[in-house]
Amino acid sequence: MMINSIQNIIDREISSADALELLIDQGHINIAVFVPSENYKIIYASRTFLSEAGIALGEVQKCLDDGMHGIHPDDVEKVKDFLQKALEREVTVDIRRISEKSGAIIWLRCKAFPAGFAENKNAVAVIIRNITADVTIEEDMRCRNERYKIYEITTPAVLFEYNPSEDKMIFSSGSGNGITQTVLSDYMDKFKTSPLVHPEDRDRFIAALLSACDAPVTATLEYRSMVIGGSYTWCRTYYSSLADDSGKVTAVFGRIQDIGTEIAQKRELLRKAELDPLTGLYNRASFESHVRSAMDKVREREKLFFAVADIDDFKLFNDRYGHSTGDRVLTTISSLMEKYFSGEITGRFGGDEFMMFTAATDLNSVHEKLLKLADEAYIEVDGENIRVNLSIGAFITSDKSVSYEQLFESADRVMYKAKNSGKNTVIVENQG
């Protein structure tokens, strides 16, 4: 398909026409000349104009004969008005074309101005730029901003944006009344004494923020903060840093969510998993874990105290009074242990055996508490107080190198010594 050349629409005596057309082609000038009075006919179009406008080779002649061919129906009248105005002055407008090949919308920014040539005095030159990508990005950003606004208003979380170059933090939270923003300047300096993050979590928080400012990163962090609600609560922050083309971080964005309830629920589940369901004391595994942890923190002058208590003739309670009474016996002993050893580590080994661990410089009071526990072990059955006999063995040592297994075995051995000496006895063996 031959497209009209510049030579055909300007004065044929101008020798520079060939040079002008070469300049248009080589300079990739997206230009066409319309004649509004002749069905908006295109009397000239550069090759790059056709390419930029998304005009396929097969529809070139249609576009030349009818300048409105392929224009979005909703924009046809706007284009006609645009070309008419351009007969008198320069005009700019954005229009849409429909790609004949794919049906996609092509956005064009058009600048038109009077350009009468030779026999075509009423002509308009139009220079176009394909702005489809720009429009798509702008629309996407507009939608993102709208979604962001709705999210800010409706989410119970707090959003933040930190600008490293300005050292400025912006917190945003939404409510029924709109979006509230708090701007903190000189954030890093103020953060050193700020109560916003719990002192025990401050170093982890600032290390995470500095890392996000150093290089692009996407991560989460859990810590205690009073950003939400005005008092310390556990928060989870999802954050991501944005960098420019050079890799320099320009902003850190994040979402702070209150997970206080979630943490409490997890702790409750963990607590229940650690506890014996009947007595509420630590089960065997969790008791051992807590004792091992406590042994690692024992101070130099403190001694280790490990006690094992066994209910004498427990089977008789079940056989004579039933298993529900047997359960009452177990809960009675556990209640007494909680009463006298609330600050120590207590647990149920299993069956009718209980354990207690503590570390202190003076263990005489602990011994006395064991005696009181044994003395108060009664249950009421049918209006009668029934004695619950206990054989209790305790082992004391100042040897910090002793293992958990050695402690337990020593206390268990002393407990059997008490049982073999006639039961209902408390024996404490002090290794020194």
Side-chain angles (χ1 to χ4, degrees):
M1 176 65 64
M2 294 297 295
I3 302 171
N4 285 342
S5 68
I6 288 289
Q7 188 72 53
N8 291 334
I9 67 170
I10 67 174
D11 192 331
R12 290 174 175 77
E13 295 180 0
I14 298 178
S15 60
S16 61
D18 289 339
L20 179 60
E21 184 147 31
L22 181 63
L23 178 64
I24 290 173
D25 285 341
Q26 296 299 315
H28 301 286
I29 300 175
N30 312 318
I31 189 169
V33 179
F34 288 73
V35 180
S37 61
E38 297 182 17
N39 198 30
Y40 300 91
K41 181 179 180 180
I42 299 177
I43 58 175
Y44 170 77
S46 67
R47 292 175 177 83
T48 54
F49 179 94
L50 300 175
S51 174
E52 193 80 345
I55 299 174
L57 188 62
E59 61 177 330
V60 170
Q61 190 59 56
K62 296 177 183 177
C63 292
L64 293 176
D65 294 339
D66 180 5
M68 297 300 107
H69 179 76
I71 300 297
H72 192 286
D74 293 344
D75 287 351
V76 169
E77 293 304 318
K78 180 169 71 172
V79 174
K80 290 180 178 180
D81 181 62
F82 158 72
L83 292 174
Q84 289 293 336
K85 290 178 178 177
L87 287 170
E88 300 177 358
R89 67 183 188 279
E90 182 180 298
V91 187
T92 300
V93 72
D94 294 343
I95 66 163
R96 293 166 292 176
R97 279 186 49 82
I98 300 176
S99 171
E100 188 171 286
K101 184 176 182 180
S102 65
I105 298 296
I106 300 172
W107 279 91
L108 302 175
R109 179 154 293 160
C110 308
K111 177 183 287 188
F113 47 87
F117 296 106
E119 298 90 356
N120 302 291
K121 298 300 182 183
N122 291 324
V124 174
V126 179
I127 298 175
I128 65 169
R129 181 168 68 88
N130 191 318
I131 59 168
T132 305
D134 295 340
V135 170
T136 302
I137 292 172
E138 288 174 4
E139 178 62 18
D140 182 60
M141 288 300 296
R142 188 187 68 80
C143 291
R144 284 173 181 266
N145 287 337
E146 288 301 314
R147 286 195 293 267
Y148 183 78
K149 288 179 183 177
I150 293 172
Y151 184 77
E152 276 191 314
I153 293 173
T154 59
T155 182
V158 172
L159 306 180
F160 74 84
E161 177 181 346
Y162 177 68
N163 186 319
S165 63
E166 298 181 11
D167 191 21
K168 181 170 67 176
M169 177 71 80
I170 301 174
F171 293 106
S172 302
S173 58
S175 65
N177 297 323
I179 300 169
T180 301
Q181 284 194 336
T182 302
V183 180
L184 301 177
S185 301
D186 302 321
Y187 183 73
M188 285 294 186
D189 287 337
K190 292 178 180 177
F191 182 83
K192 296 174 183 177
T193 57
S194 170
L196 282 178
V197 174
H198 194 283
E200 294 178 4
D201 301 328
R202 195 173 291 160
D203 288 345
R204 288 193 304 112
F205 179 89
I206 202 67
L209 182 56
L210 288 173
S211 177
C213 293
D214 185 55
V217 65
T218 298
T220 61
L221 180 70
E222 293 183 2
Y223 58 98
R224 287 160 292 182
S225 173
M226 58 171 58
V227 170
I228 301 175
S231 59
Y232 286 124
T233 184
W234 278 98
C235 297
R236 180 181 295 120
T237 292
Y238 302 86
Y239 61 97
S240 181
S241 41
L242 180 69
D244 58 20
D245 293 339
S246 68
K248 180 183 178 181
V249 172
T250 56
V252 180
F253 299 93
R255 175 177 180 265
I256 306 171
Q257 179 183 355
D258 184 346
I259 59 169
T261 301
E262 178 185 332
I263 293 293
Q265 289 174 343
K266 285 182 178 180
R267 286 180 173 173
E268 179 63 16
L269 289 174
L270 180 61
R271 188 186 70 83
K272 288 181 178 179
E274 289 187 326
L275 301 184
D276 173 64
L278 177 63
T279 64
L281 302 178
Y282 284 127
N283 59 36
R284 178 178 178 177
S286 59
F287 175 83
E288 178 180 339
S289 175
H290 283 278
V291 171
R292 288 183 183 276
S293 178
M295 288 173 68
D296 291 336
K297 301 173 185 176
V298 172
R299 298 173 210 173
E300 184 178 351
R301 296 179 58 200
E302 291 180 331
K303 293 184 178 182
L304 310 181
F305 188 109
F306 199 116
V308 175
D310 185 87
I311 300 173
D312 296 327
D313 305 314
F314 178 67
K315 186 175 183 300
L316 295 179
F317 282 97
N318 287 325
D319 293 344
R320 181 179 297 180
Y321 302 108
H323 287 283
S324 61
T325 300
D327 287 347
R328 285 177 53 210
V329 171
L330 296 173
T331 56
T332 296
I333 301 304
S334 65
S335 296
L336 288 170
M337 293 193 73
E338 289 180 335
K339 174 183 177 181
Y340 287 111
F341 303 110
S342 60
E344 284 75 44
I345 303 172
T346 56
R348 180 186 176 195
F349 185 81
D352 58 348
E353 196 163 272
F354 297 82
M355 302 169 293
M356 187 276 293
F357 171 85
T358 189
T361 55
D362 181 10
L363 295 171
N364 290 328
S365 62
V366 182
H367 186 182
E368 292 174 2
K369 289 177 182 179
L370 284 177
L371 294 173
K372 289 180 180 180
L373 183 151
D375 188 55
E376 295 180 17
Y378 287 89
I379 65 164
E380 184 180 323
V381 180
D382 297 329
E384 181 183 358
N385 281 338
I386 305 298
R387 175 76 183 172
V388 179
N389 293 328
L390 294 171
S391 292
I392 302 176
F395 180 75
I396 301 174
T397 181
S398 58
D399 182 6
K400 307 300 188 299
S401 65
V402 68
S403 68
Y404 171 86
E405 289 78 11
Q406 290 171 324
L407 268 181
F408 173 76
E409 290 171 3
S410 298
D412 198 47
R413 173 180 52 78
V414 179
M415 183 273 293
Y416 274 105
K417 183 186 292 186
K419 191 174 285 291
N420 293 331
S421 67
K423 301 180 181 180
N424 193 30
T425 302
V426 177
I427 297 179
V428 176
E429 186 176 296
N430 193 338
Q431 192 184 60

